[in-house]
Structures are given as structure tokens and as C-alpha cells.
Amino acid sequence: MNTHQLRFWILVSIVGISGFSQGMLLPLIAVIFENTGLSSDLNGLNATALYIGILLVSPYMEYPLKRFGYKPIIILGGLIVALSLALFPLWQSFWFWFFLRLLIGIGDHALHFASQTWITSFSSEEKRGRNISLYGLFFGVGFAVGPLLAPLVTINKALPFIISSVLCFIGWLLVFLLKNDFPEQTIEVNSMKETFKRFRNALKYGWVAFLPPLGYGFLESSLNGSFPVYGLRIGLEVSNISVLLFSFAIGAIIFQLPLGILSDKLGRRTVLMSILLIGFISFTVAGFLEESLVALTICLFISGMVVGSTFSLGISYMTDLMPKNLLPTGNLLCGIAFSIGSLAGPYLGGLFIEYTSNISYFLIISIMLLFIFVAVTFSKPTSIRNISSQNISG
């Protein structure tokens, strides 16, 4: 294995471990708080800490990445996550755990931002979709396996946190095998004003590429946070709801890589339009088949097959539109868009369930996918690869 391949596999392995820790935390803390009698709204509020952490740190990530390089940022982010996980058993308190989840959001974002930008910067255009899909695949598998650790809480409350922390430390140590590298340095980011100028220019030329990550954040958080409530209200058993969510996750995992490779051959925009349209149709059909568990399972599996890749394809599409010196900015905005969608999903989903009757919950997801499909289809994004650095900075 050459140095280039070793770097890639270490980076995606770290991302997989990060997905594992996130996937474990969501159900584990929800169960612990539920068993202590904490209200569902406060339980949900605690879960938002991770995304709040991402949003808080995002405007400040680009400058240290350009100054110190990819490796130190990944090391710092991984260390914050591993230490925060190890601190959970020390004190079971709403606000202490909120603060720790906030730190995990900051650490995870640093880790993902640096590794994601590093992968997109060294990946050739012919393999970009494949590489970003593997990135998404490893995170998805980790996120899906993570909840399997939650039952260990019955043995000892500290055990899941300790195991997850140890795994993060192992991944953290692997980073030291890598040689540091830096993003393209055509423009020095030395002020918040300059950073927001770059945000503005990235949005101007690549705004449409940020919609799929936003949509995926909305979809993932809404499905995991709001659909179980809706499912119980329409008479589904808890076990059936788990099967439905698992079918979506499996569809997303299995087809992550094939869709990435397909996007390398057919183009990111073409594949995005296709999967968004199929996703819209499958969720719309699901709204009419709620009385059949088998039909719902099939619909959600198909939905996972297609829209489960919207985040990774959105990143690849953004990379197609951005010059290398704007890749850090584009990756930051992908993370911000995902976080905004993740924060909005459960809230809007909850409002929809609370104030509508005789209307399927899947309608809100269908509308969101249709909106993004229309935006991607009718937008005419201008690649800024040929725009001069002077124009980009202004």
C-alpha cells in the first residue's frame, strides 16, 4: 500500500469511528435520560448540543486549517472527542452532558472538516465520487453499528462511553502515521471579514451544492427524531419502527459506493437529479401505504438507496464547482448546511405531527426533496475554476 492509499484509508477509518461514537450517543443518552424521567422536549434539546457546537465553531475553522495544516486539526478534533466521551461517566447532569456534547460537536466538526477537505483536495476528478462515497459509507456503517453498544448500559453505565472513547483514541493514534499537508494557499485568511467574503463567494457560485447536505441533515434527524413519534401515533410497534429505520440505513449503506462511482461516470448533477426524484416518489408512495409494514419497509429501503447518498454527492458536486483554494470554505458550508438541516428536521417534523391530522408525516420529507430536485434541475451553477483569485477574494 502506497502513502496515498494509506492516508486515504486512515482518514476514512477515523471517520468511521467518529460515526460509531455519534451513533452510540444518540440512543444511549436518550435512554438514560428517559429512564430518569426527563421530559422528551428536554431530551431532544440535549441532543441539539452537537449541532450547535458545529455551528458555533464553523466560522473559525478555515484559518487554523490553512495555518497549521490538516493533520494538527484532525489530531485536536479527535482528542476533544475521545476525552469528552471518557468524561461522561464522571457526572450525570443535564447541563454537564450538554456541554460535553457541545464539545463533541466541535471536535467532530474539526475532524470531519479537515479529513473531508483533505480527501477532496487529493482525489482526482475521476475518483472523487468514489472516494467521497467511501467516506460517507464508513461514517454510515459506524453510525449504524454505534447503537449496538447502547444495551451495555444495563451492565454498567460507564461501559459504552469507555469503549467508544478507547476506539476514538486508537483512531487518534493512527493520525500520527500521516505526513502533514496544507490546503492551497493562494489567499491568506486573516480576518473574519475575509472569511465571510469567501463564504459569500462560495455561496454565489456553488449554493446549489449545499442543498443536498442540508436536505440529508433534515431527513436523517427528522426520521430518527420525529418519525418514531408519528409511528407510535398511527399504531406501529416500537420494533416495527426500528425495522423501518434500519431498512433505510441499510439501503443508504449498500448503495453509497455504487452511486458515487456512477456519479464519476455520468456527472454529479445528473445523478443528484435522478436520486432526488426517485426519493420524492418513494416517500410520496410511502404516505399512501402506511397500513402495510412490508410496503413501508420496501419504500424506505428504496429511499435509503437513493437519498442516503445526498450528503456525499453534495460534497462531490461542491468540489466540482470550487477551485482548490476555496475547498475549505465549501466544505465548511457543507457542514453548516447539514447542521442547519439537522436542527430544523426534528423541530419542523414535530410541528407537522402536532398540528396536522390525516396527513402523512412522509409528506414533509417529499416536499423537501421536491424543492431540492427543482433547485438542482433548474439551477445553472457557474464553476469558478476559471475565475481569477482576485475576483474570488473580492
Side-chain angles (χ1 to χ4, degrees):
M1 184 182 294
N2 59 38
T3 305
H4 182 88
Q5 291 175 322
L6 177 66
R7 177 175 56 184
F8 175 74
W9 289 113
I10 286 178
L11 290 176
V12 295
S13 298
I14 294 165
V15 167
I17 295 172
S18 170
F20 177 86
S21 65
Q22 285 191 36
M24 179 210 71
L25 274 182
L26 283 170
L28 177 63
I29 294 181
V31 168
I32 292 174
F33 276 150
E34 178 67 22
N35 289 337
T36 58
L38 189 73
S39 65
S40 57
D41 56 336
L42 287 177
N43 204 329
L45 174 64
N46 198 273
T48 65
L50 186 139
Y51 305 111
I52 294 172
I54 293 173
L55 290 175
L56 286 176
V57 77
S58 289
Y60 307 99
M61 289 301 304
E62 193 172 5
Y63 175 66
L65 182 74
K66 282 183 170 286
R67 181 176 180 182
F68 301 110
Y70 299 110
K71 181 177 173 179
I73 302 301
I74 295 174
I75 289 174
L76 178 61
L79 183 62
I80 291 172
V81 172
L83 288 176
S84 298
L85 285 168
L87 290 174
F88 270 93
L90 292 183
W91 184 27
Q92 185 177 321
S93 160
F94 178 90
W95 290 113
F96 181 61
W97 282 14
F98 184 93
F99 177 69
L100 290 180
R101 292 176 97 165
L102 191 78
L103 288 179
I104 288 176
I106 292 171
D108 260 331
H109 187 54
L111 188 155
H112 282 278
F113 167 57
S115 58
Q116 185 177 292
T117 307
W118 205 352
I119 290 172
T120 53
S121 67
F122 68 67
S123 296
S124 65
E125 192 169 347
E126 295 76 23
K127 290 186 177 180
R128 185 173 298 140
R130 166 193 171 274
N131 287 352
I132 294 299
S133 293
L134 282 169
Y135 171 95
L137 175 63
F138 270 64
F139 180 83
V141 170
F143 195 87
V145 174
L148 298 178
L149 229 62
L152 295 179
V153 73
T154 58
I155 300 173
N156 188 302
K157 280 189 178 181
L159 190 57
F161 297 109
I162 293 172
I163 293 175
S164 184
S165 178
V166 169
L167 287 174
C168 286
F169 270 117
I170 293 172
W172 181 72
L173 290 172
L174 291 175
V175 185
F176 288 91
L177 299 175
L178 302 178
K179 181 181 178 182
N180 193 24
D181 197 6
F182 294 81
E184 192 168 300
Q185 300 283 347
T186 55
I187 298 174
E188 185 67 28
V189 179
N190 52 19
S191 69
M192 286 299 294
K193 182 179 178 181
E194 183 64 31
T195 297
F196 282 108
K197 275 187 179 181
R198 291 164 65 79
F199 277 19
R200 183 190 64 198
N201 281 286
L203 283 167
K204 179 180 178 181
Y205 294 103
W207 64 269
V208 70
F210 305 126
L211 293 179
L214 184 145
Y216 183 73
F218 182 98
L219 172 64
E220 182 188 61
S221 63
S222 183
L223 269 182
N224 287 292
S226 299
F227 175 67
V229 176
Y230 178 77
L232 291 173
R233 292 190 179 187
I234 64 172
L236 291 174
E237 299 290 336
V238 174
S239 58
N240 292 339
I241 294 171
S242 299
V243 168
L244 291 170
L245 293 177
F246 183 71
S247 67
F248 179 88
I250 289 298
I253 290 170
I254 293 175
F255 284 85
Q256 188 87 223
L257 183 57
L259 284 174
I261 295 173
L262 193 64
S263 74
D264 287 331
K265 296 180 179 179
L266 302 181
R268 241 70 70 182
R269 184 167 176 265
T270 301
V271 174
L272 272 170
M273 287 190 297
S274 301
I275 65 173
L276 288 166
L277 180 59
I278 297 171
F280 162 72
I281 294 171
S282 60
F283 273 112
T284 301
V285 172
F288 293 98
L289 300 174
E290 291 178 344
E291 295 182 0
S292 170
L293 179 64
V294 174
L296 267 184
T297 303
I298 294 172
C299 285
L300 286 182
F301 178 74
I302 294 172
S303 300
M305 283 170 47
V306 287
V307 296
S309 298
T310 46
F311 181 77
S312 56
L313 286 174
I315 294 173
S316 300
Y317 191 30
M318 176 276 300
T319 308
D320 292 341
L321 300 175
M322 299 287 171
K324 282 201 170 184
N325 66 306
L326 269 181
L327 277 181
T329 309
N331 278 286
L332 266 180
L333 288 172
C334 281
I336 291 172
F338 174 79
S339 299
I340 291 172
S342 298
L343 285 169
Y347 178 71
L348 295 180
L351 286 178
F352 186 88
I353 294 169
E354 189 69 27
Y355 295 105
T356 61
S357 57
N358 301 321
I359 301 177
S360 173
Y361 157 80
F362 294 115
L363 178 64
I364 191 173
I365 296 179
S366 296
I367 292 172
M368 181 268 299
L369 292 174
L370 180 62
F371 167 76
I372 299 176
F373 167 75
V374 171
V376 172
T377 301
F378 292 100
S379 67
K380 294 181 180 179
T382 302
S383 173
I384 51 178
R385 293 187 184 280
N386 299 321
I387 306 294
S388 69
S389 293
Q390 183 177 359
N391 289 336
I392 291 171
S393 65

